Amino acid sequence: MLIAFATFGVGYAARPIGSVIFGHMGDKMGRKASLMLTLLGMGGSSFLIGLLPTYAQVGLLAPILLVVLRLIQGIALGGEWGGAVLLATESAPKGVRGLFSSIPQLGVPLGLVAGTFSFN
């Protein structure tokens, strides 16, 4: 039961760490490069979660690997969220910057609504 909660909790706890890491990287390397690294981290760890073996196959290693991959997802999301908003705001024409910066924030709510309506 604790490992199940750790799986979700570690992703949320790692977000501030990711924002600090990728915020600094964005200042040093550039925002686009930093955003690409966060997208690769999120996509790669999500892909690997889909390939994880079961508990029956590898025992305790399976939930440990899941928690590690969720940690990577949390760090990547922490950098991705702020980077996407900042990039959208900086690229927007004057007069619509607020609108453009709100579009990345709509991703999660729209995904939740679409997921809710996909069930009968």
Side-chain angles (χ1 to χ4, degrees):
M1 180 84 96
L2 286 175
I3 291 177
F5 287 127
T7 302
F8 290 108
V10 74
Y12 289 108
R15 289 180 186 182
I17 297 166
S19 67
V20 170
I21 292 170
F22 286 105
H24 180 71
M25 286 177 74
D27 290 340
K28 297 294 180 188
M29 296 175 28
R31 301 196 200 300
K32 287 184 183 180
S34 176
L35 186 58
M36 287 303 297
L37 283 175
T38 62
L39 291 171
L40 286 172
M42 180 62 77
S45 60
S46 297
F47 176 75
L48 290 174
I49 286 174
L51 297 177
L52 280 177
T54 64
Y55 183 83
Q57 293 171 328
V58 294
L60 194 58
L61 183 62
I64 291 171
L65 288 173
L66 179 61
V67 169
V68 168
L69 290 171
R70 284 285 297 154
L71 177 71
I72 294 169
Q73 277 185 331
I75 290 172
L77 182 61
E80 186 178 345
W81 195 281
V85 172
L86 187 59
L87 194 61
T89 304
E90 288 176 344
S91 324
K94 289 191 179 202
V96 289
R97 288 191 179 172
L99 174 66
F100 275 49
S101 65
S102 69
I103 291 172
Q105 302 295 337
L106 286 173
V108 172
L110 288 178
L112 290 173
V113 168
T116 299
F117 286 128
S118 69
F119 286 104
N120 293 334

